[in-house]
Amino acid sequence: MAEKLIGKDFEPQDVRPKVMGTGKYTEDFSKDGMCYMKMLLCPMPSANVTNLDASEALAMPGVLGILTADEVPQVEEPSYPMLTMKPRQLGMPICAIAAESEAIAAEALEKIRVSYEPQPFVLDPLESLYPGGPNALESGNVTGGGEGNKPIHTRKWTARDFAEAGEDKLPMGEAPVEWAVGDVDAAFANAALVIDEPFVTASSSHAALEPRSVLSYWENGKCFIHGSSQSQSWMMPGLARMMQVPVDDIVYIAEYCGGGFGAKASPYPVQGMTAYMAKKLGRPVMLRVTRAEEYHLGGTRPGFQGQVKLAFDANGKMTAADLYIVQSGGPLRGSGDYSSAAGALALVYTPTNMRFRGAAVVTNKPWHVSQRGPGQNQLATVVEPLMDRAAKELGVDRVAIRDINAPGHDVKFSNRNSTVTSVYLKEAYKLGAERFNWDAKKAMSGQRNGNKVIGIGVGSAYHSAGSNGFDGLVSIRPDGKLYVHSGVGNLGTYSYAGTCRAASEVLGSSWENTVVLRGDSRHGLPWTLAQFGSNSTFTNTRTNYAAANKAKAMLQELAAMDLGGEPGDYDVADEKVFNTSDSSKSMTFAQAGQRAIELGGKWDGSEYPDNLHDVTKSAMKIVKGVGLVAAAKDEMPKEGSAAGMAACFCMIELDTDTGKYELLEMQNIADCGTVLHPQGLQQQLRGGAVMGIGEAVFDRMVYDPQNGLCATVGLYQTKPPSILDVPSTIETDAVNQPDPQNPFGVKGIGEPAMGSAAAALLSAISDATGTYFNRTPVDPDMIINALSGRAQSIKPLQVNV
């Protein structure tokens, strides 16, 4: 298919508002009568509130009311409460107070008298697994994370487990989650090389620049919520459940989002809290979340403590992998990062035999939620440097050892015999090596210039980047324009717009004549997957393809009915449907839209397929009668993971006196199927690389182990990479091979673009220092210690430092 729009650059409609500062984020909205809310947050990691007296606060002029835990729906552990008298995390909301101004509300908070009964707390999962160690929650210390519906329960390992492991190895008690493929022990016994190392990947804040502020009010029985979220339609059912109203009574507005990275994918408790306060007061309520509050409430990436044992044959083929991960969670169920990490190891390195064991442990730290490349990116930072070590010890080229182990299209991996829709990691290595000039660069490894030394790195990462089964919705109106209703959120990737071009492509409509409706459920937006996990590109080109094809069939049928002939006699292009053999028989989009309104029923959206999701059905009630309306579920087959892959190459110059380095070059290569939007792809690869640099050397959460207080609650305390920390140019490219299970060949890339860069940088640091740190982040102190032969100041499995 020769596309006119797919694969071409374009200007998404939100670019200019962002550049000009006219785009409206949540805090930019206001309503007549709006008041302000502030939250009382728990000042310790775990406590029972034994008394709460707000009488003095409520007597203050300008104070309008208080919202307490008994006024909002309560949830059972390990779900996260909206408000609670049993806070199990530093910064968990206890109550909220509203006033005419934010200053009055803040002053009123100081007048609330609260008595706390401190409770035992735990910040290190291994401490909780130790016999007699504290549980973060009353109901236990281990959940299934994202592994099905495993109930929370208490699990303690034996003192012998810890004693046998010592401080240099992960204790490996009975695992809540375990699977194996092949004969792992026999493979290790016959290996040419075995590497067995503990590792830590730090928990880190999502650090979204826009905190999760909320404006909420009620009008005519409907609950209006302005939120900062990655997703749009995905939010609707969760908000409806939270507010205990039908989805038809939720109006959700989220036109722009100042970063989310996984933490704003789904509804979050402060949205409900604000709406309940608005309902209680009968006034619009604005909650402006501060930076420090965002660090408590905004979610963090789960940290890992683990042990990985890898076996290789003499050629560098990975013959066995034994992975044990203890995942740190907050006071809720947590995510499935640890299982995803195991899947990534199984796919990216295709070990012939593999065992995975994992435990998701709850702690009294902030709630943990998936962050860009959940599990896969942590795994990349662990295994990629060890691939370098294996290559060095076996005398194999570092790119070659990755190529030997890279999957082919027919790969079957993990205990589920999972498959992929396509995979071009080998091609990404080849293209990246050519672009980076690998052979010449690796010859520079270790070159010294005074106190500076060159390090060369390579890394790769994977993420499942696409789904199916969601709905598409388009309308053609009497103004002659094609309207694509997008339920995708606006995370800043422009995929909401890029995927809409699939509908224009099918209907032969120009992009200038296409209107993208998004960001406000009053537009009538269809049900689709949350904008997370690099899913939007694959998933929503399919939904828009399905809806546009239905619209095309409707146009052909309409033309045949009014102009004569059979539907197959007609085609669409240039905003009209026309008879392919008689040019006198045609109908413009404007005429078709008007005719659909006159006919009603199935033509104008008054009737629609029953297999649509309830959110889409709710949207149809809004859209019906505007023109020719076509909604359809994506029922195209999909088998396997839509594997997004990235391979990154970099060169650093490391100062052996300071432990600091300069990133001289970076080249990030994508396997994203057919390139949908070249400029958008560059943005994803470069943005991912910047985040990856942060993952490798900056991102962490630091806690005082005695009092459980967090020392990283500001951007200056846990600094994201700035322009001074990244190369002046990050080169990008793509394999640009189509995925056969997407009608346009596209799939996502955002997640692995981060993991590949993080892994490549760690690979380069190891190359320059000769040390494999088995930890993120790696900071200059650690580098200096390694270069000077001193022991590290932290133990191999120590966390929160």
Side-chain angles (χ1 to χ4, degrees):
M1 175 186 315
E3 287 89 7
K4 296 180 179 178
L5 301 175
I6 302 297
K8 309 294 192 302
D9 284 325
F10 66 101
E11 182 178 303
Q13 65 192 71
D14 60 321
V15 169
R16 289 182 183 272
K18 286 178 176 175
V19 174
M20 302 299 290
T22 57
K24 295 186 72 172
Y25 295 77
T26 296
E27 292 188 20
D28 296 322
F29 288 88
S30 65
K31 288 287 290 182
D32 290 343
M34 187 173 79
C35 61
Y36 295 86
M37 188 173 85
K38 297 290 287 184
M39 298 174 289
L40 178 68
L41 306 181
C42 182
M44 56 189 76
S46 185
N48 290 338
V49 177
T50 56
N51 186 56
L52 192 153
D53 181 0
S55 56
E56 188 178 353
L58 293 171
M60 286 178 57
V63 172
L64 301 172
I66 187 170
L67 191 72
T68 55
D70 59 350
E71 297 177 281
V72 298
Q74 291 298 293
V75 295
E76 294 184 358
E77 293 180 347
S79 297
Y80 198 92
M82 204 177 294
L83 295 168
T84 180
M85 298 290 274
K86 292 183 175 181
R88 294 293 180 260
Q89 171 217 317
L90 176 71
M92 186 173 277
I94 296 169
C95 67
I97 202 157
E100 295 289 358
S101 74
E102 202 167 29
I104 295 173
E107 184 180 352
L109 280 185
E110 300 297 322
K111 297 185 182 303
I112 298 176
R113 306 298 175 214
V114 189
S115 298
Y116 298 98
E117 183 179 68
Q119 298 296 301
F121 67 90
V122 63
L123 306 175
D124 182 341
L126 294 181
E127 183 184 347
S128 185
L129 289 168
Y130 194 83
N135 290 349
L137 298 175
E138 294 176 358
S139 51
N141 68 333
V142 171
T143 73
E147 280 291 306
N149 295 313
K150 294 180 183 295
I152 186 170
H153 61 282
T154 295
R155 186 175 295 246
K156 304 294 177 186
W157 291 345
T158 68
R160 179 183 296 275
D161 293 328
F162 285 83
E164 290 179 347
E167 292 186 341
D168 297 333
K169 191 172 183 179
L170 180 77
M172 290 184 279
E174 183 183 3
V177 175
E178 181 172 359
W179 56 260
V181 175
D183 190 340
V184 176
D185 294 331
F188 279 113
N190 296 319
L193 172 68
V194 175
I195 294 174
D196 190 3
E197 293 289 346
F199 63 85
V200 166
T201 63
S203 177
S204 59
S205 169
H206 291 62
L209 286 182
E210 182 197 16
R212 57 195 58 231
S213 297
V214 187
L215 166 63
S216 185
Y217 53 94
W218 295 73
E219 282 184 358
N220 301 319
K222 293 185 182 294
C223 177
F224 287 68
I225 298 176
H226 293 254
S228 173
S229 64
Q230 301 168 220
S231 312
Q232 176 65 39
S233 294
W234 182 263
M235 306 291 284
M236 300 291 287
L239 290 172
R241 286 192 298 272
M242 192 180 288
M243 301 314 302
Q244 301 179 334
V245 299
V247 72
D248 288 354
D249 289 340
I250 293 292
V251 177
Y252 188 63
I253 302 108
E255 296 177 351
Y256 295 88
C257 176
F261 313 113
K264 296 179 184 173
S266 300
Y268 39 85
V270 297
Q271 293 182 317
M273 187 194 312
T274 309
Y276 275 103
M277 180 69 93
K279 188 173 187 179
K280 179 177 180 177
L281 299 180
R283 292 179 59 168
V285 175
M286 169 69 83
L287 170 66
R288 301 203 299 183
V289 173
T290 68
R291 174 59 54 192
E293 289 171 341
E294 180 68 19
Y295 275 93
H296 293 312
L297 302 172
T300 58
R301 181 194 286 275
F304 287 169
Q305 294 160 298
Q307 189 79 27
V308 61
K309 187 176 180 181
L310 305 174
F312 298 87
D313 68 17
N315 297 318
K317 173 60 189 157
M318 188 183 290
T319 54
D322 191 356
L323 178 67
Y324 202 130
I325 294 176
V326 176
Q327 174 176 294
S328 174
L332 76 173
R333 175 168 296 282
S335 62
D337 285 41
Y338 65 140
S339 291
S340 297
L345 196 160
L347 174 60
V348 177
Y349 310 102
T350 59
T352 314
N353 307 278
M354 180 171 171
R355 174 166 54 220
F356 168 64
R357 289 166 287 178
V361 181
V362 296
T363 71
N364 298 105
K365 296 193 294 186
W367 65 294
H368 287 48
V369 63
S370 297
Q371 189 184 105
R372 196 172 189 171
Q376 298 94 350
N377 283 353
Q378 294 103 304
L379 188 282
T381 65
V382 172
V383 175
E384 286 289 309
L386 297 180
M387 295 298 289
D388 288 345
R389 180 178 159 187
K392 182 178 181 180
E393 296 192 22
L394 292 168
V396 180
D397 178 84
R398 289 193 279 156
V399 175
I401 196 172
R402 288 167 169 83
D403 181 72
I404 289 170
N405 290 288
H409 298 297
D410 58 350
V411 65
K412 292 187 177 181
F413 61 101
S414 85
N415 59 321
R416 298 172 179 168
N417 268 335
S418 301
T419 60
V420 296
T421 59
S422 68
V423 60
Y424 294 96
L425 182 57
K426 286 177 176 284
E427 288 78 2
Y429 287 138
K430 181 180 180 182
L431 179 60
E434 292 173 357
R435 293 279 191 271
F436 185 69
N437 199 358
W438 171 256
D439 289 335
K441 293 289 173 47
K442 73 177 182 181
M444 299 172 65
S445 170
Q447 286 185 2
R448 297 189 70 97
N449 179 14
N451 62 335
K452 297 184 178 177
V453 61
I454 294 293
I456 307 297
V458 55
S460 61
Y462 147 77
H463 187 76
S464 179
S467 189
N468 63 321
F470 295 89
D471 299 339
L473 173 59
V474 300
S475 57
I476 296 171
R477 305 192 180 185
D479 62 5
K481 293 182 180 296
L482 167 64
Y483 290 74
V484 185
H485 302 244
S486 174
V488 182
N490 182 8
L491 186 53
T493 62
Y494 306 121
S495 57
Y496 80 88
T499 56
C500 289
R501 290 162 70 84
S504 304
E505 195 80 68
V506 171
L507 289 165
S509 177
S510 68
W511 186 239
E512 291 72 23
N513 201 53
T514 301
V515 178
V516 177
L517 297 174
R518 65 174 185 88
D520 188 329
S521 61
R522 289 172 293 185
H523 290 312
L525 306 180
W527 171 245
T528 192
L529 185 57
Q531 191 173 47
F532 57 38
S534 304
N535 281 294
S536 298
T537 295
F538 182 94
T539 307
N540 293 291
T541 47
R542 287 171 56 116
T543 59
N544 289 325
Y545 178 82
N549 269 300
K550 179 173 181 181
K552 180 178 179 179
M554 292 171 69
L555 287 167
Q556 291 170 308
E557 183 181 351
L558 186 64
M561 185 171 66
D562 281 10
L563 304 176
E566 299 296 323
D569 298 335
Y570 291 85
D571 202 351
V572 294
D574 302 326
E575 288 79 39
K576 65 181 180 180
V577 54
F578 58 92
N579 190 302
T580 55
S581 57
D582 183 353
S583 59
S584 68
K585 294 181 177 180
S586 67
M587 181 183 289
T588 66
F589 275 13
Q591 292 168 329
Q594 182 59 47
R595 182 68 173 129
I597 294 173
E598 294 167 1
L599 292 169
K602 71 174 185 179
W603 299 100
D604 74 344
S606 297
E607 299 171 6
Y608 45 81
D610 193 50
N611 66 346
L612 299 176
H613 190 273
D614 285 347
V615 169
T616 311
K617 291 178 179 176
S618 179
M620 295 298 285
K621 297 173 187 174
I622 297 171
V623 177
K624 69 177 182 180
V626 300
L628 186 149
V629 178
K633 180 182 290 295
D634 166 18
E635 295 182 313
M636 290 173 278
K638 173 181 175 292
E639 296 181 2
S641 164
M645 294 277 188
C648 186
F649 298 74
C650 75
M651 179 166 70
I652 65 169
E653 186 179 61
L654 187 141
D655 188 322
T656 57
D657 288 342
T658 65
K660 296 183 178 180
Y661 64 87
E662 181 180 359
L663 247 170
L664 302 176
E665 292 183 39
M666 181 167 271
Q667 179 94 41
N668 215 0
I669 306 295
D671 166 20
C672 59
T674 300
V675 175
L676 174 63
H677 178 202
Q679 289 180 330
L681 174 63
Q682 290 180 20
Q683 177 213 34
Q684 283 292 286
L685 291 173
R686 289 173 178 154
V690 172
M691 280 192 75
I693 292 167
E695 182 186 12
V697 297
F698 292 127
D699 298 343
R700 72 180 78 200
M701 301 288 282
V702 177
Y703 278 86
D704 162 17
Q706 177 174 315
N707 300 308
L709 302 182
C710 185
T712 43
V713 291
L715 292 174
Y716 59 95
Q717 295 160 327
T718 175
K719 189 180 88 63
S722 72
I723 192 69
L724 300 177
D725 302 306
V726 303
S728 56
T729 300
I730 297 175
E731 302 291 344
T732 67
D733 207 337
V735 174
N736 205 17
Q737 293 292 328
D739 185 285
Q741 296 194 37
N742 181 283
F744 299 98
V746 302
K747 56 184 179 180
I749 191 59
E751 323 279 313
M754 175 183 176
S756 60
L761 177 53
L762 292 170
S763 168
I765 292 173
S766 293
D767 186 50
T769 61
T771 298
Y772 303 94
F773 291 90
N774 302 325
R775 169 179 288 270
T776 61
V778 173
D779 62 28
D781 286 348
M782 296 168 61
I783 292 172
I784 290 297
N785 284 338
L787 291 173
S788 60
R790 290 195 299 266
Q792 297 294 345
S793 59
I794 51 179
K795 298 174 183 175
L797 291 161
Q798 189 173 348
V799 293
N800 306 321
V801 293

